Amino acid sequence: MTEPAPVPQPYSKLALLHSPTERAAEAAQQLRQCADFVPLEHADAVIAVGGDGFMLDTLHAMLDGKHIMPVFGINLGTVGFLMNPHRKTKDLAARLAKAKPIVVSPLRMDAVTQDGDAHTFCAINEVSLLRETRQTAKIEILVNGKVRIPELAGDGVLLATPVGSTAYNLSANGPILPLDSAMLALTPISPFRPRRWPGAILPDSSRVTFRVREPAKRPVAAVADQREVRDVAEVHIEIAREKCMTLLFDRGHTLDERIVAEQFVT
């Protein structure tokens, strides 16, 4: 009888991370019984068990560090948009061998506060500017150094990646972007003026600048995913191409397919 061919192993050293929830901890313990894992610093890929929030935390930890490696997420959260389904089987090696890689390009936000302090953060989903008080925010918008909106009045504005286009951007009535579109969504948040401006779709080679008008009276915070800088004066955003990341997905359950599917949800 012919022995089955061994499953190819594209990643020989795996690290295992999990969220602090009980369900994720139990699933991680089951995985330890069917695979050998190494410390994160010795790994060439990561298994992340949890929800989308934990996945974002994992990716940001790598962005802040020196070693960016592929991540295969297993969903033990609520939505799991960035994750793969949890299966109580010992097929992890086979799943990784067949996984489809999806390259994700994060945004880099360079923010300067009213006091002149500079802050730099990356965002996988979006960078959003939000009013801090009851006063309407007034924001000038430039694209590649050219003023496109002299004054946007409203709750704020955001710039989203294709990955983030189905998150806050969609809730703000922004467009869903195909993963391979090489585009960014520039979306107003509850705009008052220009009232009918729907936002814009920009090439991901664009450099977008937001300048806060009347910052003392109308303070604005800038948020890169979960990281907030308050009382900003000016924010510059562009793709951080040196920080590109790889997410691994089961065939037939890829992120690009889910982005398409989101457009038909009723």
Side-chain angles (χ1 to χ4, degrees):
M1 184 175 178
T2 304
E3 291 290 329
V7 176
Q9 299 297 322
Y11 307 107
S12 59
K13 298 178 182 179
L14 301 177
L16 178 63
L17 303 175
H18 65 84
S19 73
T21 67
E22 183 176 345
R23 290 180 64 224
E26 290 177 357
Q29 185 58 36
Q30 293 172 2
L31 287 172
R32 291 190 183 96
Q33 296 173 10
C34 62
D36 294 324
F37 295 98
V38 301
L40 186 62
E41 60 271 21
H42 298 149
D44 54 23
V46 176
I47 308 300
V49 182
D52 287 331
F54 182 70
M55 173 62 87
L56 287 175
D57 289 343
T58 300
L59 295 175
H60 276 290
M62 288 196 290
L63 286 171
D64 293 340
K66 297 180 180 179
H67 191 187
I68 296 176
M69 67 190 87
V71 183
F72 184 89
I74 296 177
N75 185 33
L76 265 297
T78 304
V79 179
F81 191 78
L82 299 174
M83 316 297 278
N84 296 283
H86 173 52
R87 299 174 185 166
K88 294 184 178 179
T89 60
K90 298 181 180 181
D91 65 348
L92 182 59
R95 291 176 75 180
L96 284 173
K98 299 176 182 177
K100 179 179 179 179
I102 297 291
V103 177
V104 174
S105 300
L107 297 169
R108 182 176 59 249
M109 175 187 81
D110 296 309
V112 179
T113 68
Q114 297 177 38
D115 295 331
D117 296 330
H119 302 267
T120 298
F121 294 119
C122 285
I124 295 159
N125 280 347
E126 77 281 315
V127 172
S128 54
L129 268 67
L130 303 164
R131 64 187 176 100
E132 296 179 11
T133 68
R134 61 182 177 82
Q135 293 284 353
T136 298
K138 291 186 176 181
I139 301 167
E140 181 184 29
I141 301 175
L142 300 85
V143 178
N144 297 327
K146 182 176 182 179
V147 176
R148 293 295 185 179
I149 300 288
E151 185 175 281
L152 172 68
D155 285 354
V157 65
L158 64 84
L159 187 69
T161 65
V163 170
S165 68
T166 59
Y168 189 12
N169 173 72
L170 182 59
S171 298
N173 297 316
I176 294 177
L177 301 176
L179 200 60
D180 59 356
S181 64
M183 295 291 179
L184 301 172
L186 177 61
T187 302
I189 303 171
S190 300
F192 179 65
R193 290 286 189 274
R195 190 181 297 275
R196 301 186 186 281
W197 183 56
I201 297 175
L202 305 175
D204 70 0
S205 58
S206 303
R207 176 176 170 84
V208 178
T209 298
F210 299 127
R211 291 175 180 162
V212 178
R213 297 289 192 88
E214 304 175 40
K217 179 181 179 181
R218 306 173 187 274
V220 169
V223 184
D225 287 347
Q226 307 98 328
R227 298 182 174 184
E228 181 182 68
V229 180
R230 296 183 70 83
D231 301 332
V232 296
E234 188 164 308
V235 176
H236 304 278
I237 310 165
E238 60 188 328
I239 290 288
R241 300 200 181 276
E242 75 284 1
K243 297 279 190 178
C244 288
M245 318 187 80
T246 301
L247 302 184
L248 302 173
F249 290 96
D250 291 326
R251 297 284 172 173
H253 194 75
T254 56
L255 184 58
D256 47 359
E257 166 58 28
R258 273 175 276 179
I259 286 177
V260 171
E262 280 291 319
Q263 299 176 76
F264 297 92
V265 174
T266 58

